[in-house]
Every structure is written in C-alpha cells, then in structure tokens.
Amino acid sequence: TCYCRSGLYRTVKTAGEELSTGVTTMHERNERINDIFCFIAGHNGLVAATYLQKGGVKTAVLERRHVLGGAAVSEEIFPGFHFSRCSYLLSLLRPHIYSDLELKKHGLKVYMRDPHAFTPMLEEGVKGAPPRSLTLGSDLALNQMEIGKFSQKDAKAYSDFNAYLEKLAAAIHPLLDAPPVDILGVTTGSLRRRLAASKTLQPIIKCGLKLGRNIPEFYEIVTAPIMKILNRWFESEPLRATLATDAVIGAMTSPSTPGSGYVLLHHVMGELEKEKGAWGYVEGGMGGVSQAIASAARSYGVDIFTEKEVEQVLVGSDGAARGVVLKDGTEIQSKVVLSNATPYITFKYLAPQDALSPDFIKAVDQIDYTSPVTKINVAVDKLPNFLACPTPDGKPGPHHQCSIHLNCESVEVLETAYKEAMNGRPSSRPMLEMTIPSVLDPTLAPPGCHVVSLFTQFTPYHIEGREWTDQDREAFADTAFDWVEQYAPGFKKSVVGRDVLAPPDLERIFGLTGGNIFHGSMSLDQLYLARPLPSLSDYRSPVKGLYLCGSGSHPGGGVMGSPGWNAALTVIADLKSH
C-alpha cells in the first residue's frame, strides 16, 4: 500500500460527480493513494494508467496543467472559439485501444474527412479559368480525374502506389502493439530466461511474414529519401509535393533526406472507423480524445488530478523509485512511477542526477529534439475562399474539410523552406498545412465563424542563434498570412484573433522538448530498439521502478496510445515477476 507523508487522500464522490482535480486532505473514506503514478498525463499516460488499473494496480495520474492530454488538448483561446491547440487530427490511435476502452461510449466522436487533401496552385488560370488544384480522397475515379489534370501517367499509377503503401504499413502493425525485442534476454542468461524472452521475437516475425517478398521494398522506404520513391512512381510536381508533405510533417528534414520515407509510412499506417489511412476531426477538438480516455480511466477507478506538477522522482537508498514530490512540496510515495514526459525532461529534471551515471546523462543529452514547427491557431469571421476552388456565399465546399496544402506546388519550394530554417531563419515561403475543423464540427466556433489551424514549417528553435521575440512571432505569422492571402484573398481581413506558437512555446506550454511534437526525432537512429536510446527501448530506466510511457518511447509520436499500452504491459510483467 502506498502512503503520503502530508496526508494525501482521495475525495470520494458519488456516482456522476467529477473526481477532485486537486490534492486534498479530506478524509471521507481514509483511502490512501496509490501504488502507481503516471505524471504529465498526456494521452499515453492516461492509456497506461487505464490498463494498469484494469490489471489490478491502483493508479493515480498527476497532470501539470489545468487540462488533460499533453499535446492532445482543446482550449478556448478566444471567446467562443475552441482550438486543438497543438495536435489537431486523429488517425494513429490504435484500434484495439479505441474499442477496448469503449471510447465512443465515453464521448469520443470523430468527423471523417472525404476528400482529405487539397493542394491549390498559385498560377494564372487559362482564359479566365481559376487556377488548378489537386484534391484527393477515397474515390478512385475522382482521384484519377484530379491527378489527370497534371499527368495521365500518374493518374494510372496512383492506386497501385496506395496499395504499395498500405501493404508496407500493415506489416508494421505487429511492431506497434508490443515492446521491442528483448535482445539481452534472448542472448544471455538461463535457458528458461531465453525461452521467455523469445516471445518478444513474435511481433518482428509476424512483420516479416506479412512482408514476405516485399522485405526489400520495406527496407528501401524506411531508409531512403522519400523523393527516391516518389520520383520512381510519379512525374507531376503537385502530386509529388503533396505526398512529400507527409514525409516531412513535424520533422526537421527535407524530402531528399534519407529516412524521410519512414516518416511518410508512419503517417499512413493509421486507421479510423475501420478505414485504412483515414484522418478525422475530433468533436470539440483533440482534447476530446484525452477526455474520453480519462473517462474510461475513471470508470475503472483511476484517480486523476490536474494542476499537480511533479518536481522530482523520489529515489530510495536502494536506488529504486519510491514516489514523487510535487512543486508545492507534497511528497507522495508509490511502488512505481511512470513518466509521460519526454526522456530529456524525465532524466535531466525529474530523476535525481546522482541516481544516473555520467555516461547515461551524456547519452540523454544527445537525443535529437530538433523541431521545424510553428503552430498558428486562427479565429476568423468568415470561411477562407480559395481562388482555385471558389464557393459562393461563404458555404463550405468539399475541399474545406481537407488538409489544405499551401506552398506545396513543387518539391523545390519545400526544399528551399527547409534550407532557410537549417541556416537559422524562419522560412520566407513556409510549407503551410491548413485545416478548418469547424466546417464539420459546429461546436468549435460561433455561427458563421471558423477556427483555422496552420501547421507551419520550417522554423528553427533559435533565430540565427538568439531567442524568439514577440516581434519575431508576429513577423512570421504575418509572412504565413501573406501567403494564405495569395491563395484565398480576404483571409487577412477575416482574422479576429491568432495564437502563435513557435518551437520554444511548444516546449514551454506542452513540455515538448525542443518543440518536437514526437517527443524526439523519428529518424532511423531513434526508432524501435534505439528509441529513445538503445538502453531505454524497453520502457525501463536505470532507476528501478521508473518507466517511460510517452511518445519518446517506441513506437514514437502521434496520438497513438501504443507507448502507454506497451509500458503498461512491461510494468505488469515486472510486478508479476517480483
């Protein structure tokens, strides 16, 4: 049983009442909290807590901010306008978690998007016709017609390309839902230990069997620059550039960088409502995912507390985790601690430095958290109207529900934007992914108004070696808005508020080290057995009883839930073995 020196107790509420969002000393039932603590409760922390509780482990969640969910949160930034302030689309959440936790029953509602991608051109229309655009969705015939505007050859090849990606992505699924191979267990120790550890080989064997003769193609796409793949399949620039955006989204990389192919694969391996590769909007914003998982967690008995920031992990004289101490000095003892924070925050700030070796700390310092992202949340009083696909009377067209790719007419534009950021300057012609979820979800904005998300790249963490200033933020937002205005005249006049989050802001507000939305680069040296480090790939840390459960662990970033699921499996296995 765990206890708390300050007298930390659970406030017992009747059915239907919310659990207390604060630590309390009320003694209604004199029940002390708890055996496990997941802190900085992003969606993965909530997933881990739920499965631990289901496994019979009494669990509490401590959240630093006033809202649950880490980066998957919804916030009312301007009166009446509700934003997915950081994460903004759902697809990668593992189907077994979605169904097992009955997230629909707990309030999760998703608006499916079809079509899903819209790339307008900046060009003079022929004889007064509007500029061309490329719209992609689930309808094969419509896709071929759209692509045929630019290349009949590409139109014919597109369905085969999608089948090729789906086959490779499907093979990864067994790897997502299990910890990586236990190399040490398989190769050392007693025969009994080796046999037990050999079970961890099953997912990789399943992956290989699914791939079959496609193993060479899989190896190529995860190691190659995505342009090597796209140039083989296609000839038209708008299609190649549109597809290349998924290979660089959220990553400080270019389409010509080796390994960018895996980032594309990572973004197409999702599933929503049994539709492969689909992405959708969560009603009320992405916080709806976190709230649904939290509701499921509470239904199993998990205690959840907000505005309880962890100061440090407590480590006993035996070198094992013994709980946490909060910013307010409250000391909480527990058998195990799970951290949904980034590995950098966990081991540089939360774990006592004298509990870690200098070599380990040096390795943590070398994890790559480079981020290219500045997120701009915009409140507008009318719907953007695109020259390439004008709509009358402010009514949304099918393209308004898409991911709208601006400054994506050619791969060269993306490459130039990347190079500027690598030289320490925000892109002068940034890659812009615009989404307008309020065209499908009426709960997000007042009637006639909309919320617009601009996920922009490429911007460095430091501008030519110095910190971002408010003037820098506003100047970059002005640049982005100037480009939007070229595609949709009148956009700037429609803006009633904007929230500009440069990489340092994403770090400060959401705990994303370096502003990296994946809790660490999704580069080949930080995947699977090396995520976040070779010594940490099994979720266990050098401090016994302290585990990682966030996106910095395998299989990585996105609102997926797999790191939390896998960490919970690991903790339960360890508890059973002791």
Side-chain angles (χ1 to χ4, degrees):
T1 327
C2 106
Y3 67 91
C4 174
R5 292 179 186 173
S6 64
L8 170 63
Y9 293 90
R10 177 161 63 122
T11 301
V12 177
K13 298 283 189 177
T14 58
E17 288 186 295
E18 293 184 2
L19 286 172
S20 169
T21 58
V23 175
T24 175
T25 55
M26 296 176 68
H27 296 189
E28 279 112 319
R29 277 180 49 190
N30 203 35
E31 289 191 9
R32 291 172 175 175
I33 308 175
N34 277 347
D35 296 325
I36 302 291
F37 285 86
C38 301
F39 53 84
I40 308 186
H43 75 282
N44 279 307
L46 291 166
V47 168
T50 307
Y51 280 102
L52 286 167
Q53 188 79 27
K54 287 183 70 177
V57 182
K58 191 71 188 78
T59 308
V61 173
L62 304 175
E63 166 60 54
R64 174 177 64 95
R65 300 186 69 217
H66 65 288
V67 289
L68 289 170
V73 294
S74 305
E75 296 187 63
E76 186 179 15
I77 304 173
F78 310 109
F81 292 87
H82 301 266
F83 291 88
S84 296
R85 199 174 181 200
C86 189
S87 170
Y88 58 102
L89 284 167
L90 184 67
S91 172
L92 299 177
L93 185 63
R94 300 300 296 137
H96 71 92
I97 296 174
Y98 195 115
S99 58
D100 193 27
L101 300 188
E102 300 181 288
L103 297 185
K104 278 189 177 181
K105 186 182 84 173
H106 288 283
L108 181 60
K109 180 178 179 180
V110 179
Y111 293 93
M112 302 293 288
R113 308 185 311 163
D114 194 20
H116 58 77
F118 173 62
T119 306
M121 305 290 110
L122 277 185
E123 61 183 10
E124 292 293 331
V126 179
K127 295 182 179 179
R132 292 176 300 171
S133 62
L134 174 65
T135 304
L136 301 174
S138 63
D139 189 303
L140 174 60
L142 288 177
N143 287 340
Q144 290 179 329
M145 184 175 69
E146 285 287 308
I147 298 169
K149 299 176 191 175
F150 306 95
S151 167
Q152 288 297 324
K153 175 180 174 291
D154 289 359
K156 294 176 182 178
Y158 184 70
S159 62
D160 289 340
F161 176 74
N162 270 344
Y164 154 81
L165 282 186
E166 285 179 10
K167 183 182 294 184
L168 299 183
I172 297 178
H173 290 166
L175 302 181
L176 304 180
D177 300 325
V181 174
D182 180 3
I183 299 293
L184 192 63
V186 170
T187 57
T188 62
S190 66
L191 177 61
R192 182 178 180 181
R193 180 185 174 183
R194 292 188 185 195
L195 288 173
S198 67
K199 293 179 182 178
T200 65
L201 290 166
Q202 291 177 359
I204 204 163
I205 291 171
K206 287 180 182 177
C207 174
L209 291 174
K210 278 193 171 188
L211 285 169
R213 65 178 65 183
N214 298 115
I215 288 177
E217 286 86 350
F218 177 78
Y219 178 81
E220 180 186 42
I221 197 169
V222 299
T223 58
I226 192 57
M227 290 317 301
K228 178 181 178 182
I229 309 296
L230 295 178
N231 286 338
R232 183 185 307 155
W233 281 90
F234 305 116
E235 61 185 12
S236 60
E237 274 298 298
L239 180 59
R240 288 191 296 201
T242 298
L243 296 173
T245 61
D246 274 340
V248 301
I249 196 79
M252 185 63 92
T253 191
S254 82
S256 61
T257 303
S260 54
Y262 175 76
V263 180
L264 174 98
L265 206 58
H266 187 83
H267 283 97
V268 301
M269 66 187 180
E271 177 182 323
L272 204 56
E273 301 289 342
K274 299 183 178 180
E275 185 179 329
K276 304 292 184 186
W279 291 77
Y281 298 122
V282 176
E283 184 172 75
M286 286 296 288
V289 180
S290 302
Q291 290 299 330
I293 299 172
S295 176
R298 291 185 178 108
S299 74
Y300 288 105
V302 176
D303 292 302
I304 299 174
F305 301 91
T306 57
E307 297 182 277
K308 297 300 166 189
E309 183 171 358
V310 173
E311 174 78 21
Q312 194 170 62
V313 176
L314 296 172
V315 177
S317 58
D318 60 353
R322 288 290 178 261
V324 297
V325 59
L326 305 184
K327 281 279 189 183
D328 64 8
T330 302
E331 195 171 297
I332 306 165
Q333 295 197 356
S334 66
K335 292 180 180 178
V336 178
V337 176
L338 285 89
S339 172
N340 188 64
T342 67
Y344 186 85
I345 291 174
T346 301
F347 298 114
K348 294 288 286 186
Y349 293 100
L350 300 178
Q353 297 300 279
D354 58 6
L356 304 169
S357 72
D359 285 346
F360 177 78
I361 293 171
K362 183 177 180 181
V364 169
D365 282 331
Q366 293 174 330
I367 300 172
D368 180 13
Y369 290 98
T370 311
S371 170
V373 174
T374 290
K375 177 83 186 300
I376 308 176
N377 300 299
V378 192
V380 296
D381 60 15
K382 68 176 182 179
L383 192 66
N385 197 8
F386 295 92
L387 291 174
C389 196
T391 52
D393 305 321
K395 294 181 180 178
H399 58 290
H400 281 109
Q401 66 187 267
C402 296
S403 290
I404 301 166
H405 303 284
L406 307 180
N407 289 338
C408 297
E409 288 92 340
S410 74
V411 175
E412 183 181 358
V413 173
L414 307 184
E415 293 280 359
T416 300
Y418 165 74
K419 290 173 184 175
E420 286 180 304
M422 289 300 291
N423 287 323
R425 300 184 303 276
S427 304
S428 57
R429 187 178 181 183
M431 181 184 106
L432 306 175
E433 180 170 294
M434 173 190 281
T435 51
I436 316 172
S438 50
V439 300
L440 295 180
D441 180 3
T443 70
L444 298 177
C449 299
H450 289 277
V451 296
V452 175
S453 164
L454 289 175
F455 195 83
T456 77
Q457 294 180 221
F458 293 81
T459 54
Y461 186 87
H462 291 105
I463 298 179
E464 297 182 324
R466 62 173 177 80
E467 302 291 329
W468 282 72
T469 65
D470 288 342
Q471 185 178 0
D472 293 324
R473 291 177 180 84
E474 296 306 316
F476 179 74
D478 288 342
T479 296
F481 284 18
D482 286 343
W483 282 107
V484 176
E485 184 76 13
Q486 293 194 48
Y487 292 91
F491 172 78
K492 292 199 292 186
K493 287 185 178 180
S494 72
V495 174
V496 297
R498 67 187 190 186
D499 172 45
V500 186
L501 303 175
D505 304 310
L506 296 172
E507 178 179 75
R508 173 178 51 84
I509 296 169
F510 302 106
L512 299 171
T513 301
N516 189 288
I517 64 170
F518 301 126
H519 283 211
S521 168
M522 297 289 287
S523 52
L524 296 180
D525 61 323
Q526 291 184 189
L527 293 176
Y528 197 57
L529 287 169
R531 187 163 188 86
L533 293 169
S535 62
L536 290 172
S537 64
D538 62 358
Y539 310 95
R540 301 174 181 93
S541 82
V543 177
K544 185 179 178 181
L546 173 61
Y547 297 79
L548 295 175
C549 66
S551 294
S553 301
H554 169 74
V559 181
M560 186 184 300
S562 288
W565 155 266
N566 291 335
L569 292 180
T570 301
V571 172
I572 290 171
D574 287 353
L575 292 175
K576 286 181 178 178
S577 68
H578 293 133

